Amino acid sequence: MTRPTVLELRGVSKNFGPVAAVADVDLELKQGEFISFLGPSGSGKTTTLMMVAGLQAPSSGSILLNGRDLAPLPPYKRNIGVVFQHYALFPHMSVLANIAFPLEMRKLGRMQARRRAEAVLRLVGLPDLGDRLPSQLSGGQQQRVALARALAYEPPLLLMDEPLGALDKNLRAQMQIEIARLHRELGITVLYVTHDQEEALVMSDRIAVFNHGRVEQIGQPQSLYERPVTRFVAGFLGDSTFLPGKVQALQKEEAVVLTAHGPLRGHASPGVRPGEAAVVAVRPERVVLLTPGDTARENALRGRISDVIYLGQSRKFVVRLEDGSELLGLQPIGTASPAVTEGSEVLLGWSATDCNVLADSD
Amino acid sequence: MTAPWAWRWAAYALVAAISVYLVAPMAIIVVISFSDSALLTFPPPGLSLRWYRSLAETPAWRDSILVSLQVMVLTAVAATALGTAAALGLASWRGPLAATIRSLLMAPLVIPHIISGAAIFLLFDAWGWVGSLQALVLGHIALAVPYVVATVGAALETMDHRLTQAALTLGASPRIAFMRVTLPLIRPGILAGLLFAAMLSFDELIVSLFLSTPQLRTVTVLMWSNVLGDIDPEISAIATVILLVSMVLLALQWFLSRQRGVPVLQGIGR
Amino acid sequence: MKRQASRLLLLPGAAFVATVFALPVGALLLRSVSDPTWGLQNFRALWEEPVYASLIRNTVQISLATTVCCILLAYPFAHVMATRPRLTRLLTLVVLVPFWSSILVRSFAWMVLLQNNGIVNQSLLRLGLIDQPLELIFNRTGVLIGMVHVLLPFVVFPLYGAIRAMDPALMPAAACLGAGPIRAFLRVQLPLTLAGLVMGAVLVFVMALGYFITPALLGGRRDAVIARMIQLQVSQLGDWGMAATLSLVLLVATLILLGASQLLVRSPARRPAG
């Protein structure tokens, strides 16, 4: 992990009048890394990307590309590739002219630019469409052209703003694989903005989860999913049931929370203090049906199954607990344990290491 | 209950009648202009070019057409330049000052031409410019600028502004991004404004009435003073010439709108 | 910084319109209280002399009648234009040709057509519909025929836009819900296109107020309008005070009506979705 740092954000903020769109973002991007900004719309992820591109100026903080401060450079001198939402292809230029445009701007000869553009067009799998206008292409093809245009001049950093947002589901999956392939083959550093958690999990080396202009958590997909540190991250990335209570004891990595269902144990995230309010976050797939007398799990609850939804690979079920609140569970089809049935009284449980105790900030 | 087809055919018949009402007068005037009779009868007893010959042989008509064409070209070019620049300056500028400047630029469109004409006459009378080419041109420019601001402004508004941003990220300086991306994309709007300004100037009568003298007048002014007297087929010949210029401009506009998919400028008051 | 620079582009146009247009209009309007001497004598004359009252009455009557006729003709026309895609281009052209033609040429054409021995009267005589020529010109009828011809496009275009913007499934939906064609029109289509209708109608009314070419050529002695009076006062009588006073009245009426229609169009309740 001694790859050089390509992009560094230091305390970057952006205010629109009294509104803080981006607040104090710190980030380091290593060479060849694929990082996603994930968050709901209006969380500041696109604004951050636009500041890196130079299309918006930060209110404070600095952005460095290969160790060089970008502040004095206008967008056209930054040499960063940008793929825009809805592509922003020039409608009055052919596909080849679109791709050759940045090369011409870099003073490449006309023929040289054309040859290079053709090569890039082959790379994205559209060798024969160079003379078409963008309006004559399908959405997926336009997407590939936009990618080709941003890659044509081999920028050290590629920014992508919800590039697949306008495509339908199948095409999106196909383009995810395609982008991952290009990332692998070209070894390019990518900063990818999306609001689609699945997309972020599939493609990224690391994910930065944005909320209200701040980075809530940054890390590898697995650690983000399994060890979220805030309630927002646990809820935004995947499903979770939150059981509120008060922290009774805290020992190293484990906390005991007194809830309406008795004491529950879980992995303590930073920020959890004894005596303060906290929530126990449980992923549905970690919830298992227990037989009476089963004591292998630290946490156990009683409830009645109120709904079962068949999902093909699994069954999702809703358990109504004794205090009236609900808990989500997920049972893979074809497991040894008995199938859940609506209306049955059950005993459920999960291990302490399979759930997280998070500070209850709400 | 009447059958639906009866409704539909009644509507079609009405639309056909309105279409005849809208187009027939011009068609009839064109036909009468080729009459060989001194009477304005339709259909004409015989066909000839005698009224066009008479136009060509009358210096007053020739001069007035030349004046109108000169004023039209100068007005269209200058109004397009001023209006395009102003529309670019107004683009993406919001706020009370921008709104005030926009109102100022659009005012000649809203204010009745009779008031504009009287006011412009007041100005050029004070300067001693009444009866001069520059007075006619300047007056027409003032009337035409808002149309250009409107067409170019509409083109700028419908343009995707991320295209300019994209050009910047691809390495184009703001000047090159403007020349290579913005300008080509708003060109239909600029051309539409140019054609509209030309049409407005060539057909203009009210402001021209105030600014013309018997020594220097536009063809519409000369036609007006003739129409107030006895009307004859010679006037229908000059009317046909004026119509011809309008229709050439309209045809260019129509062609432009088909080429680029820009709607023909619609529904703005004059 | 860059944005500030682009605002400099406004300077030539704004300075030009201010010098050649705005300031002279201001100077003209000022004359309503300064010509021939300072005071309100012009407004008193406007109020007291019957000639001005009849001018204003004529103008408003002609404008109102023109507006009503335009609406009645424009609605069915715009409806067919918007709902029959095959006819749209043709009908657009039918409206654009007069729209782009000189008003003077069109008014002259109507003078020729509407004369006592003009084509209209001759055709009606030949068809046996009348025994002697109708008085179609140099009266209110002539003015209306000419004015509606000039102003019809200004209602057709906004109405066409409003009908096009309507969801085409709405009228069939109303029919399925049990509304007959007339009720469906009154309860669904008319409310949804009212904004376009009002916009076009106000535009026509306001433009009719300021017109004089058509009334001067096709009207009689009893069809004198404000705008023609302003022109005569400036160019022949040299009565700047009264010309300015009438201009002010005309301008205030124009601005109030246009402003009110803008407010109405902007109100969200009238705005069809999409």
Side-chain angles (χ1 to χ4, degrees):
Chain A
M1 289 303 279
T2 51
R3 289 179 296 175
T5 300
V6 172
L7 180 73
E8 193 180 348
L9 273 67
R10 288 187 195 153
V12 172
S13 300
K14 175 74 182 176
N15 303 319
F16 293 111
V19 185
V22 175
D24 202 21
V25 169
D26 289 297
L27 189 79
E28 248 185 65
L29 207 60
K30 300 285 183 199
Q31 173 147 35
E33 199 175 15
F34 192 119
I35 195 165
S36 290
F37 286 1
L38 176 68
S41 60
S43 59
K45 53 195 196 306
T46 294
T47 308
T48 307
L49 180 127
M50 288 297 155
M51 287 192 281
V52 176
L55 297 168
Q56 302 213 0
S59 305
S60 62
S62 53
I63 302 171
L64 289 84
L65 184 68
N66 290 327
R68 189 169 162 216
D69 188 2
L70 284 176
L73 293 180
Y76 50 96
K77 289 190 179 148
R78 294 196 175 189
N79 203 33
I80 294 174
V82 184
V83 175
F84 287 78
Q85 211 174 354
H86 308 295
Y87 325 131
L89 295 174
F90 303 130
H92 58 301
M93 297 183 194
S94 72
V95 165
L96 265 185
N98 262 284
I99 300 172
F101 184 87
L103 303 170
E104 278 178 57
M105 295 302 125
R106 286 163 177 77
K107 310 281 183 239
L108 239 68
R110 200 167 264 278
M111 280 319 292
Q112 219 181 335
R114 196 185 159 87
R115 264 200 304 279
R116 172 89 189 118
E118 280 169 346
V120 184
L121 206 49
R122 270 196 301 280
L123 182 73
V124 297
L126 299 174
D128 304 320
L129 299 181
D131 295 326
R132 301 246 187 116
L133 286 175
S135 58
Q136 296 166 317
L137 302 183
S138 71
Q141 289 170 333
Q142 290 184 32
Q143 168 58 50
R144 284 166 199 257
V145 174
L147 201 54
R149 187 176 67 175
L151 291 172
Y153 48 102
E154 296 174 342
L157 174 65
L158 181 65
L159 309 178
M160 303 177 90
D161 184 12
E162 307 247 4
L164 307 182
L167 303 179
D168 66 45
K169 203 174 172 229
N170 287 334
L171 206 50
R172 207 154 59 210
Q174 203 181 320
M175 283 308 297
Q176 285 172 8
I177 297 168
E178 183 79 16
I179 292 171
R181 175 182 72 86
L182 285 168
H183 171 238
R184 217 173 35 244
E185 282 178 13
L186 303 174
I188 192 169
T189 312
V190 180
L191 197 166
Y192 191 98
V193 164
T194 181
H195 66 267
D196 182 336
Q197 43 155 317
E198 209 180 300
E199 197 165 289
L201 288 173
V202 168
M203 304 180 71
S204 320
D205 295 323
R206 281 194 299 157
I207 300 174
V209 179
F210 273 70
N211 187 31
H212 296 308
R214 294 181 178 276
V215 175
E216 291 252 344
Q217 190 175 356
I218 181 161
Q220 291 169 353
Q222 191 180 346
S223 71
L224 225 55
Y225 187 84
E226 290 178 1
R227 290 282 174 250
V229 295
T230 69
R231 186 172 173 164
F232 175 80
V233 175
F236 191 76
L237 210 61
D239 289 328
S240 285
T241 302
F242 298 105
L243 301 163
K246 202 174 191 182
V247 181
Q248 233 177 9
L250 183 63
Q251 257 185 357
K252 281 189 196 162
E253 299 220 301
E254 193 174 284
V256 183
V257 180
L258 186 61
T259 68
H261 320 282
L264 296 173
R265 288 167 186 278
H267 177 271
S269 74
V272 173
R273 310 251 177 285
E276 286 183 8
V279 288
V280 180
V282 195
R283 297 279 185 204
E285 65 272 20
R286 299 294 187 181
V287 174
V288 276
L289 294 183
L290 303 176
T291 47
D294 189 344
T295 53
R297 325 276 165 165
E298 291 90 336
N299 301 308
L301 301 175
R302 286 195 175 281
R304 201 158 69 87
I305 295 181
S306 63
D307 261 306
V308 179
I309 303 150
Y310 178 72
L311 295 172
Q313 302 170 329
S314 58
R315 282 189 196 88
K316 193 176 202 167
F317 56 94
V318 182
V319 183
R320 189 160 292 275
L321 302 174
E322 282 158 343
D323 69 335
S325 61
E326 289 178 341
L327 181 99
L328 283 180
L330 197 72
Q331 186 183 45
I333 303 280
T335 43
S337 54
V340 287
T341 47
E342 248 173 70
S344 55
E345 300 282 342
V346 289
L347 185 65
L348 320 134
W350 59 87
S351 314
T353 51
D354 285 349
C355 70
N356 294 287
V357 175
L358 310 170
D360 192 359
S361 49
D362 298 343
Chain B
M1 200 72 243
T2 333
W5 61 265
W7 280 95
R8 192 178 308 159
W9 285 105
Y12 283 165
L14 184 60
V15 167
I18 296 171
S19 301
V20 170
Y21 166 68
L22 284 174
V23 178
M26 277 91 82
I28 288 168
I29 281 304
V30 172
V31 173
I32 288 180
S33 74
F34 293 101
S35 169
D36 63 356
S37 153
L39 296 172
L40 287 158
T41 49
F42 184 88
L47 297 179
S48 82
L49 290 174
R50 67 181 272 207
W51 302 112
Y52 289 93
R53 213 169 299 129
S54 140
L55 276 190
E57 285 162 3
T58 312
W61 284 121
R62 282 206 316 258
D63 293 348
S64 70
I65 290 175
L66 280 179
V67 168
S68 279
L69 288 174
Q70 283 177 55
V71 172
M72 175 182 82
V73 171
L74 293 172
T75 298
V77 171
T80 304
L82 287 174
T84 303
L88 287 168
L90 274 176
S92 73
W93 186 15
R94 303 276 177 274
L97 185 58
T100 310
I101 296 179
R102 174 178 289 277
S103 310
L104 170 72
L105 287 164
M106 298 311 281
L109 186 83
V110 178
I111 293 178
H113 280 192
I114 181 68
I115 299 176
S116 316
I120 294 171
F121 174 70
L122 190 66
L123 176 76
F124 290 138
D125 194 34
W127 291 2
W129 278 14
V130 170
S132 69
L133 197 68
Q134 71 265 30
L136 281 167
V137 172
L138 293 178
H140 285 191
I141 293 172
L143 298 185
V145 161
Y147 291 94
V148 182
V149 173
T151 56
V152 178
L156 279 167
E157 227 158 78
T158 49
M159 199 192 115
D160 183 353
H161 286 277
R162 273 169 320 181
L163 293 174
T164 324
Q165 296 193 335
L168 295 178
T169 67
L170 294 168
S173 66
R175 201 180 60 82
I176 291 176
F178 176 77
M179 299 301 290
R180 294 278 310 265
V181 177
T182 310
L183 199 57
L185 289 172
I186 63 169
R187 191 174 293 144
I190 297 175
L191 287 175
L194 182 92
L195 290 171
F196 217 90
M199 183 273 272
L200 180 109
S201 167
F202 196 79
D203 287 352
E204 213 290 323
L205 172 62
I206 298 171
V207 171
S208 309
L209 265 181
F210 284 108
L211 299 178
S212 290
T213 55
Q215 287 71 44
L216 189 104
R217 53 191 167 186
T218 65
V219 68
T220 49
V221 170
L222 184 54
M223 179 174 162
W224 166 259
S225 49
N226 277 267
V227 170
L228 287 180
D230 283 333
I231 54 176
D232 61 30
E234 191 184 50
I235 302 181
S236 64
I238 200 70
T240 304
V241 171
I242 295 174
L243 269 183
L244 183 71
V245 175
S246 302
M247 289 307 112
V248 168
L249 294 173
L250 171 60
L252 288 173
Q253 181 82 293
W254 186 258
F255 180 71
L256 184 76
S257 76
R258 293 202 81 145
Q259 285 300 99
R260 297 288 193 151
V262 207
V264 179
L265 186 70
Q266 297 173 345
I268 304 182
R270 31 167 161 159
Chain C
M1 229 162 62
K2 192 182 72 206
R3 193 174 283 171
Q4 303 291 345
S6 83
R7 288 178 192 171
L8 285 177
L9 288 167
L10 276 169
L11 208 56
F16 178 84
V17 174
T19 315
V20 177
F21 186 81
L23 292 178
V25 168
L28 171 72
L29 297 178
L30 191 63
R31 294 207 168 190
S32 63
V33 289
S34 73
D35 190 288
T37 57
W38 287 93
L40 293 174
Q41 70 275 4
N42 293 320
F43 290 91
R44 209 169 299 127
L46 183 74
W47 186 251
E48 285 167 359
E49 288 177 31
V51 56
Y52 295 116
S54 85
L55 269 182
I56 291 174
R57 195 173 51 239
N58 285 346
T59 309
V60 171
Q61 279 175 356
I62 290 173
S63 303
L64 265 181
T66 303
T67 308
V68 171
C69 293
C70 279
I71 290 173
L72 292 178
L73 293 183
Y75 208 109
F77 193 90
H79 181 81
V80 172
M81 194 170 147
T83 53
R84 304 276 157 219
R86 286 162 153 221
L87 293 176
T88 301
R89 286 198 83 84
L90 178 68
L91 293 182
T92 306
L93 203 58
V94 163
V95 186
L96 278 176
V97 166
F99 182 70
W100 275 66
S101 305
S102 142
I103 296 164
L104 177 59
V105 167
R106 287 190 276 164
S107 300
F108 166 71
W110 283 113
M111 288 173 80
V112 174
L113 265 70
L114 297 177
Q115 294 173 89
N116 272 354
N117 56 354
I119 299 127
V120 174
N121 268 321
Q122 277 176 5
S123 311
L124 292 174
L125 282 170
R126 212 169 296 159
L127 289 170
L129 292 172
I130 51 172
D131 296 327
Q132 55 188 40
L134 297 174
E135 297 276 332
L136 293 174
I137 197 173
F138 306 129
N139 57 23
R140 206 43 74 81
T141 313
V143 174
L144 275 186
I145 291 175
M147 295 279 279
V148 172
H149 190 254
V150 169
L151 293 172
L152 193 60
F154 295 94
V155 212
V156 170
F157 287 130
L159 260 182
Y160 167 76
I163 299 173
R164 273 296 288 267
M166 214 176 78
D167 182 346
L170 287 180
M171 291 302 277
C176 292
L177 295 169
I182 296 172
R183 290 240 297 200
F185 175 79
L186 291 177
R187 296 285 304 276
V188 179
Q189 180 163 346
L190 191 60
L192 285 173
T193 52
L194 200 62
L197 187 67
V198 170
M199 221 175 81
V202 171
L203 199 62
V204 164
F205 185 78
V206 158
M207 292 172 73
L209 285 182
Y211 261 22
F212 76 81
I213 299 172
T214 311
L217 294 181
L218 299 175
R221 219 170 298 149
R222 307 183 56 184
D223 300 307
V225 291
I226 296 175
R228 175 67 164 158
M229 190 55 147
I230 296 174
Q231 196 239 345
L232 291 175
Q233 276 165 333
V234 168
S235 55
Q236 287 174 26
L237 308 173
D239 186 353
W240 281 100
M242 275 322 289
T245 308
L246 288 172
S247 296
L248 188 69
V249 170
L250 184 58
L251 184 62
V252 169
T254 302
L255 293 182
I256 287 177
L257 286 166
L258 286 178
S261 77
Q262 286 294 311
L263 283 182
L264 203 133
V265 169
R266 250 179 238 159
S267 82
R270 293 257 173 268
R271 208 124 211 161

